[in-house]
Amino acid sequence: MKSLLLQIFTWWNSQTLGTRFHTWRKGQRVGEDEFGNVYYQGGTDSEGRTRRWVIYNGYAEASAIPAGWHGWMHHRVDTPPSDENYKPREWQKPFQPNLTGTPYAYRPKGSIANLGERPKVTGDYDAWSPGS
């Protein structure tokens, strides 16, 4: 019951009722990634291409789509990673959640959140003052 109420009133929990209905009506399961996200296709979009969508395992976090599936979702490739032996390139980084608001967030030198001292201004900067 709780899951159904979350799907009715929130869009960030897995799928909405509209997505569930569209998946039931026209969806053809294409595959699943290592995070448990399930990918579908079916029907056509406004440009006449096959419509593709994902039902997230948990929160709807677009950056959690691996590189191979991202290419398929955005019509960069026609073959989904589940139909081929897809190996990510060495420069493709694995998913990392948004760390903002956590102890692991990026805090550059001089930030109020960083306890270090602000770096000194170099000689190539002249502060603006009125009348100059």
Side-chain angles (χ1 to χ4, degrees), residues 55-124:
I55 295 183
Y56 296 97
N57 179 20
Y59 285 115
E61 174 63 50
S63 64
I65 296 177
W69 283 106
H70 182 271
W72 179 80
M73 287 282 295
H74 293 277
H75 297 275
R76 302 284 186 247
V77 295
D78 292 328
T79 308
S82 59
D83 290 352
E84 64 182 5
N85 190 14
Y86 178 81
K87 298 266 190 272
R89 303 260 183 355
E90 64 274 356
W91 48 264
Q92 291 174 322
K93 295 182 178 182
F95 168 71
Q96 183 177 15
N98 184 348
L99 299 175
T100 303
T102 71
Y104 304 107
Y106 176 65
R107 293 177 175 88
K109 287 167 120 181
S111 165
I112 345 177
N114 191 343
L115 300 177
E117 296 236 353
R118 185 178 176 127
K120 297 282 184 209
V121 177
T122 61
D124 63 348

Side-chain angles (χ1 to χ4, degrees), residues 18-30 40-45 50-53:
T19 304
R20 179 184 290 243
F21 178 71
H22 188 76
T23 302
W24 169 76
R25 204 168 125 232
K26 293 189 177 182
Q28 172 193 356
R29 185 184 166 122
V30 176
Y40 293 90
Q41 68 180 1
T44 55
D45 64 12
T50 303
R51 184 170 181 231
R52 297 172 177 174
W53 67 96

